[in-house]
Amino acid sequence: MVIVAERTQVTAKDFKSNQKSTWCPGCGDFGIQNAIQTALVNSGVAPWQVLFVSGIGCGSKLPDYITANGYMTLHGRGATIGCGAHLANTKLQVIIIGGDGDSYGIGIGHMVHNMRRNMDVVHVVENNEVYGLTKGQYSPTSKRGFKTSTSPEGAIEFGINPLALALAAGATFFGRCYSGDPKYAAEIIQQAMEHKGYALIDFLQTCPSYNKIQNNDWYKEHTYKILDENPSYNCKDPLQAFALAMKDDPRYPMGVLYKNDERPTYAEQIPVYQQNPAPIIEHSLDIPTELFEKIKAGYV
Ligand code: SF4
């Protein structure tokens, strides 16, 4: 969550990148990029106030295609770098971004600890239920029976349930949206950015190259907005959210499915920030010059 008083007037042009996208035509990543840029503009966050941290994968190329601070790390490690950057500069809006393989697979260990620590970051998982960049292997969210090059007779594993996982691990915000409706997705992302604490966005997306079943028509039939179907749904009630996560329904509920504003963030509880809430990068080092030079010499 960035400091509202420092938000400025920005337009979509401010986030435009001169890099040419290498995504396949019709890829859901275009809708995700559109939604994130709209959310940033609507939030009034300037490019220099945002840091995108990604891992490896098709969607992890996104920091190249948006003008803002960006850091592409190792596979699955966006959660660690994003967490470190946030703790060093709590005024930055940190957005960790990666696919379902990157985030729910190799990076899942880092992700659940960011959840339970309530790191004040947004983690967007571009969930197309397949590994796209490496040409179509089944992923941690692939449905049982999904046929790919690595599961020619159908995957025998059950896919991860992101909402149940987030609730069990202590995430304080869970939102879900879909790449075919970027306007609605932008609203969910903006709420995630405004949330004080860890926010996970399970961003469903199409992969026309390697997931030919879950195309736009399929998603239209298999998604619904939670408040349209159940106007009394209370996202602040963890039992309702758990019941929704465990409901036997082939459709995906979308919207803000869980939100807890009561828990302190990790940064709020550590002594250095209790003594001085300014970002650590603005703190005085307060150590003798000779000692600082000695420490520095050890790294060069
Ligand atoms: Fe998008 Fe799939 Fe192509 Fe990757 S392989 S760019 S996810 S359509």
Side-chain angles (χ1 to χ4, degrees), residues 114-116 118-119 166-167 169-174 195-200 235 256 258-265:
N114 277 357
M115 289 177 182
R116 73 179 178 86
N118 203 22
M119 287 291 168
L167 291 166
T172 54
F173 184 103
F174 183 97
H195 174 67
K196 185 169 73 72
Y198 182 91
L200 175 64
C235 67
V256 176
Y258 182 64
K259 188 168 158 62
N260 177 350
D261 296 319
E262 308 300 321
R263 278 181 50 198
T265 67

Side-chain angles (χ1 to χ4, degrees), residues 143-180:
K143 297 194 192 329
R144 196 160 185 257
F146 184 48
K147 289 189 178 169
T148 67
S149 56
T150 48
S151 56
E153 292 177 12
I156 56 172
E157 301 166 20
F158 288 90
I160 279 176
N161 180 330
L163 176 55
L165 172 79
L167 291 166
T172 54
F173 184 103
F174 183 97
R176 183 182 280 125
C177 44
Y178 156 56
S179 60

Side-chain angles (χ1 to χ4, degrees), residues 34-250:
N34 178 350
I36 291 175
Q37 279 176 324
T38 304
L40 290 170
V41 170
N42 291 347
S43 302
V45 182
W48 58 268
Q49 293 176 305
V50 188
L51 170 66
F52 286 97
V53 190
S54 69
I56 302 289
C58 297
S60 287
K61 296 177 189 172
L62 187 133
D64 246 3
Y65 307 148
I66 294 184
T67 291
N69 300 295
Y71 193 152
M72 290 178 190
T73 71
L74 300 176
H75 200 17
R77 306 297 181 249
T80 60
I81 304 289
C83 157
H86 158 66
L87 290 178
N89 184 359
T90 45
K91 281 188 184 170
L92 263 184
Q93 172 65 72
V94 174
I95 301 180
I96 299 161
I97 187 143
D100 42 301
D102 188 270
S103 301
Y104 296 142
I106 193 168
I108 196 166
H110 305 304
M111 187 180 191
V112 294
H113 293 294
N114 277 357
M115 289 177 182
R116 73 179 178 86
R117 290 173 178 144
N118 203 22
M119 287 291 168
D120 193 3
V121 296
V122 174
H123 192 145
V124 176
V125 182
E126 302 145 303
N127 185 3
N128 54 20
E129 304 193 3
V130 72
Y131 281 95
L133 190 72
T134 48
K135 302 199 179 298
Q137 298 81 15
Y138 74 96
S139 85
T141 47
S142 294
K143 297 194 192 329
R144 196 160 185 257
F146 184 48
K147 289 189 178 169
T148 67
S149 56
T150 48
S151 56
E153 292 177 12
I156 56 172
E157 301 166 20
F158 288 90
I160 279 176
N161 180 330
L163 176 55
L165 172 79
L167 291 166
T172 54
F173 184 103
F174 183 97
R176 183 182 280 125
C177 44
Y178 156 56
S179 60
D181 189 352
K183 191 164 171 275
Y184 179 66
E187 289 169 25
I188 305 298
I189 293 169
Q190 191 174 347
Q191 289 187 60
M193 287 166 57
E194 285 163 3
H195 174 67
K196 185 169 73 72
Y198 182 91
L200 175 64
I201 302 284
D202 186 47
F203 208 134
L204 305 173
Q205 73 156 112
T206 49
C207 170
S209 296
Y210 296 109
N211 190 340
K212 300 203 185 280
I213 299 169
Q214 291 171 229
N215 56 23
N216 281 309
D217 289 340
W218 187 94
Y219 273 114
K220 276 181 195 135
E221 279 172 24
H222 289 84
T223 54
Y224 66 96
K225 293 175 184 165
I226 186 67
L227 290 178
D228 286 353
E229 189 151 311
N230 179 3
S232 64
Y233 180 78
N234 177 8
C235 67
K236 296 196 173 172
D237 179 353
L239 296 181
Q240 277 195 48
F242 255 120
L244 189 65
M246 302 316 290
K247 197 172 167 189
D248 187 13
D249 186 340

